Amino acid sequence: MFAFIVGRILAAIPVLVIVSLLTFVIIYFVPGDVASELAGPTATPDEIEQIRDRLGLNQPFVTRLVSWYGALLQGDLGHSFLLNQTVSHAILERLPVTLSVTAYALVIVLLIGMTTGIIAAVRANTWVDQGMMGIALIGLSLPDFWLGLVMIYVFAVVLGWMPTGGYVEFSESPLGWLRMTTMPALSLALTQVGLLARMTRSGMLEVLRQDYVRTARAKGLPGWMVVGKHALANVMVQVVTVVGVSVGILLGGQIVIESVFSLPGVGRLIVGAILRRDYPVIQGGLLLTATIFVVVNLIVDLLYAYFDPRIRYGR
Amino acid sequence: MAALLSVSNLTIAFGGTPVVEDMSFTLDPGEVLGIVGESGSGKSMTALALLRLIPPPGRVTHGRIEFDGIDVLAQPEAAMQDLRGRAMSMIFQEPMTSLNPVFTIGEQIEETLRVHERLDRAATRRRAVELLELVEIPAAARRLGDYPHQLSGGMRQRVMIAIALACRPKVLIADEPTTALDVTIQAQILDLLRGLRKELGMAVILITHDLGVVAEFADRVMVMYAGRVVENAPAAALFATPRHPYAEGLLASIPRLDGPIQRLNAITGMVPSPHAMPPGCRFAPRCPHARDACAERIPATTDLGGGRSVACIRETGYRQTEAVS
């Protein structure tokens, strides 16, 4: 198992190199200039040129690439052009916001998605099933930012129950954190709830037809054990696959949702950096995102082995 | 001696289509009853009905099942759960897929003990090892941690038997227990079942399409055709003098080892589908003795004495005796 993990981590390195190289190239060719942004509207071309020199933007592509990777190997992501902060500091400061909202959304996805899917499968082809799957399909079809805007309008503007946006740290006030993150987490989660519910249902229906489920019934196990233990344990591999993809989508969704709810997270940091061509922040932010994806995939692979002994024993 | 299990006029239908019709039989304690018939004759559905495990939309539409003084069809689901795996156990045709792939065999045996008997952990584990030893699995204690994919088909069927016998059932229903196994393994599993039946004294319902298996093992044989029982007789009597033309045909189709090798005798034609049953006797279209009267109505079951009965009008001089639905 240890060798497996080490192997997977080593295999992730080329992925991260390629991702960072691609972002570097794309950013290099994208038009726009951070120097004029920094210099302000009244700056002369000379002043702008000076700033370009200071930031190293006049150096050739390869020189910039080599110096960025050189710093990266020393654990240095560079300094933001605009924020008066190191990139690592800017990211670490905002990471808890993004991660905690993602985790919250993930909990919602797992709880509601799996429960709905299981109930729908057990009550397959009844009005319960059809109703649940209908709602799941609606959830699946609504864009998350639209849902966010509607929720802000209904619960914050009209009813005034919730704030329109902002953030309070969990350690500061758990209840305040819940008030601030529930609507963003819900709007992120809903499409994924719909997806997971439908996938769980179809996986469950498949498994409930299997011979070993009949065996479990013939042994005299109560219904909740047949479904909740024998069937569910065999659906988990499929659930993990879907959830792995969902985590990626939840993280990606933050880019928009953090802006909608004015959450000070990594998504908004990256959006801001892209709009204003803050290259080091874009570069560092995307490297971090890629790293998170690699870690999520590693966890998914480990969970496969955990849930299925046939994978664990290499068959 | 009172019967352990008594089934009367059982009809099982999927939607409006009956797959088992008007079936009656009894099973004495310790008796081995073979149920023989081609695929689709309703054998497996009968077995599942006894445990009330018929998959929807199938259901029992008519009849009565009495097991050990209990009206099975009237029991609440919780009482059935208590009955299944404890007093009435079942093993299946497919050992490769009948065990749950993600739990150890130890867990799958111990779980049955946990739901039916109050034992502490250590005692449960000891019983699991004893059960594996009972079904002659070598190095039983070390096998508890194995997953089904680590075992061969024969070993898995032994584990299934161990699970079924965990609570010393009064009746074991074995639905084609050897069909999916290699011939040598088949013999081993049958030997094992026969030995266990002697040792534990339970009744066995053995469902098979293999007459050889029945001849070796069963006390009594019930022959099914297209959802109906056509003959029910002590095994020795049936093999000596089959009375129903279908049973005759089945026995005649067994190739003999002690004579010259000829063409294999087969019953011509096909089993009718449940949606397109012929009028009257269902075997009539394939029967070499069929007369016009056969198509009039389903023949009544004639008691021949000596625990034999047969549903064929040949016994009554090709006259329909009484009206049967």
Side-chain angles (χ1 to χ4, degrees):
Chain A
M1 192 46 78
F2 180 73
F4 173 74
I5 298 175
V6 171
R8 288 304 306 254
I9 290 173
L10 290 178
I13 291 175
V15 173
L16 295 180
V17 170
I18 291 168
V19 167
S20 53
L21 194 63
L22 272 178
T23 45
F24 212 103
V25 171
I26 292 168
I27 293 167
Y28 183 82
F29 286 111
V30 166
D33 189 5
V34 69
S36 48
E37 177 96 9
L38 274 176
T42 58
T44 63
D46 266 1
E47 283 170 329
I48 293 175
E49 199 54 30
Q50 270 174 22
I51 295 172
R52 292 184 65 88
D53 260 345
R54 182 161 56 78
L55 297 177
L57 294 176
N58 285 333
Q59 286 167 344
F61 174 76
V62 176
T63 317
R64 284 168 60 186
L65 189 68
V66 168
S67 72
W68 188 78
Y69 273 116
L72 179 67
L73 287 178
Q74 295 163 46
D76 181 8
L77 286 174
H79 204 277
S80 163
F81 292 165
L82 300 161
L83 294 171
N84 200 23
Q85 265 183 323
T86 63
V87 172
S88 9
H89 190 248
I91 289 173
L92 286 179
E93 198 178 67
R94 292 163 175 81
L95 193 57
V97 181
T98 304
L99 288 186
S100 66
V101 173
T102 305
Y104 188 4
L106 185 62
V107 170
I108 297 174
V109 171
L110 286 174
L111 283 181
I112 304 182
M114 284 182 65
T115 318
T116 317
I118 293 168
I119 294 173
V122 172
R123 299 259 171 277
N125 303 321
T126 63
W127 64 269
V128 179
D129 174 31
Q130 281 156 5
M132 281 177 155
M133 285 306 108
I135 294 169
L137 186 62
I138 293 170
L140 196 56
S141 318
L142 295 178
D144 49 9
F145 64 88
W146 181 83
L147 210 66
L149 290 172
V150 169
M151 275 200 274
I152 290 177
Y153 180 71
V154 175
F155 296 106
V157 178
V158 176
L159 297 170
W161 295 347
M162 291 284 194
T164 55
Y167 186 72
V168 178
E169 262 176 55
F170 186 81
S171 53
E172 218 170 274
S173 152
L175 266 182
W177 179 84
L178 269 182
R179 269 174 64 81
M180 295 301 185
T181 54
T182 297
M183 288 202 305
L186 267 179
S187 50
L188 274 171
L190 210 71
T191 49
Q192 301 308 307
V193 168
L195 179 70
L196 185 63
R198 294 183 75 89
M199 298 301 288
T200 307
R201 175 183 179 273
S202 69
M204 203 73 189
L205 281 178
E206 181 67 39
V207 167
L208 285 175
R209 275 201 299 271
Q210 298 296 313
D211 288 347
Y212 52 77
V213 169
R214 185 181 58 188
T215 304
R217 290 193 205 284
K219 281 156 85 171
L221 302 187
W224 64 267
M225 260 178 96
V226 174
V227 174
K229 181 179 173 183
H230 282 263
L232 188 60
N234 283 279
V235 176
M236 283 317 286
V237 169
Q238 292 172 56
V239 168
V240 164
T241 310
V242 178
V243 169
V245 177
S246 286
V247 170
I249 297 173
L250 291 178
L251 280 168
Q254 303 263 24
I255 292 203
V256 175
I257 286 299
E258 283 175 2
S259 302
V260 171
F261 287 94
S262 331
L263 286 167
V266 178
R268 237 173 108 203
L269 177 73
I270 295 177
V271 171
I274 291 173
L275 290 177
R276 298 165 67 192
R277 305 288 184 265
D278 191 347
Y279 303 134
V281 173
I282 304 176
Q283 194 71 21
L286 291 182
L287 186 64
L288 172 90
T289 315
T291 311
I292 293 177
F293 269 82
V294 167
V295 171
V296 167
N297 274 307
L298 178 63
I299 294 174
V300 165
D301 281 344
L302 290 176
L303 285 174
Y304 279 151
Y306 173 78
F307 284 117
D308 193 338
R310 286 165 297 188
I311 296 171
R312 193 152 72 234
Y313 288 79
R315 225 191 74 169
Chain B
M1 186 161 53
L4 174 65
L5 175 72
S6 130
V7 172
S8 32
N9 308 106
L10 184 71
T11 297
I12 305 167
F14 277 73
T17 314
V19 293
V20 171
E21 254 185 308
D22 201 27
M23 169 188 249
S24 301
F25 67 93
T26 60
L27 179 73
D28 289 335
E31 187 183 26
V32 179
L33 170 67
I35 302 183
V36 194
E38 285 165 86
S39 313
S41 59
K43 299 169 302 198
S44 295
M45 279 305 144
T46 307
L48 290 170
L50 299 179
L51 285 169
R52 265 191 27 205
L53 283 177
I54 295 175
R59 60 190 194 90
V60 172
T61 53
H62 186 70
R64 187 179 158 81
I65 299 171
E66 197 174 305
F67 172 70
D68 211 14
I70 299 168
D71 180 355
V72 169
L73 297 177
Q75 295 302 304
E77 175 59 21
M80 283 311 296
Q81 283 166 11
D82 177 57
L83 199 70
R84 290 177 200 134
R86 186 179 58 75
M88 209 195 277
S89 292
M90 185 158 177
I91 57 176
F92 300 96
Q93 182 172 353
E94 289 296 336
M96 305 309 276
T97 53
S98 289
L99 290 166
N100 195 322
V102 306
F103 295 111
T104 63
I105 60 170
E107 169 59 21
Q108 296 187 56
I109 298 171
E110 287 171 27
E111 173 184 64
T112 314
L113 292 165
R114 279 202 301 272
V115 294
H116 290 300
E117 301 190 11
R118 282 196 187 142
L119 295 169
D120 61 48
R121 274 176 91 123
T124 307
R125 178 138 286 229
R126 267 201 311 279
R127 277 285 295 281
V129 175
E130 283 167 20
L131 283 163
L132 286 186
E133 283 165 352
L134 186 71
V135 296
E136 293 162 15
I137 289 184
R142 277 193 284 125
R143 287 285 172 191
L144 286 182
D146 281 2
Y147 287 91
H149 74 265
Q150 294 168 297
L151 304 177
S152 66
M155 283 295 165
R156 289 188 215 184
Q157 195 60 298
R158 286 171 192 268
V159 172
M160 282 299 293
I161 296 171
I163 292 171
L165 299 183
C167 305
R168 299 286 149 99
K170 289 181 176 152
V171 57
L172 173 70
I173 303 166
D175 185 3
E176 305 257 9
T178 60
T179 305
L181 301 172
D182 291 345
V183 177
T184 46
I185 310 293
Q186 286 187 5
Q188 290 174 16
I189 295 288
L190 275 183
D191 279 346
L192 176 72
L193 280 174
R194 199 167 21 217
L196 289 170
R197 195 204 69 82
K198 270 203 195 104
E199 197 177 329
L200 307 175
M202 68 206 163
V204 176
I205 296 179
L206 179 70
I207 294 168
T208 180
H209 61 258
D210 185 339
L211 285 168
V213 168
V214 170
E216 276 185 73
F217 194 9
D219 302 321
R220 205 147 50 83
V221 183
M222 196 158 75
V223 182
M224 289 187 76
Y225 184 80
R228 297 188 75 101
V229 177
V230 293
E231 181 158 2
N232 184 345
L238 181 89
F239 284 102
T241 52
R243 297 289 279 270
H244 194 281
Y246 177 60
E248 274 174 7
L250 281 181
L251 288 173
S253 64
I254 301 174
R256 297 185 66 97
L257 288 177
D258 57 357
I261 296 169
Q262 312 149 350
R263 273 176 59 90
L264 288 176
N265 290 314
I267 303 173
T268 53
M270 301 273 286
V271 184
S273 121
H275 302 283
M277 286 296 178
C281 175
R282 282 164 186 187
F283 187 60
R286 302 172 73 186
C287 180
H289 307 285
R291 309 286 160 94
D292 289 345
C294 292
E296 280 169 20
R297 61 171 85 99
I298 290 169
T301 302
T302 313
D303 191 342
L304 303 174
R308 279 193 95 156
S309 59
V310 62
C312 178
I313 58 172
R314 189 167 61 168
E315 298 297 332
T316 52
Y318 291 107
R319 277 195 310 278
Q320 294 281 4
T321 46
E322 58 185 286
V324 181
S325 56

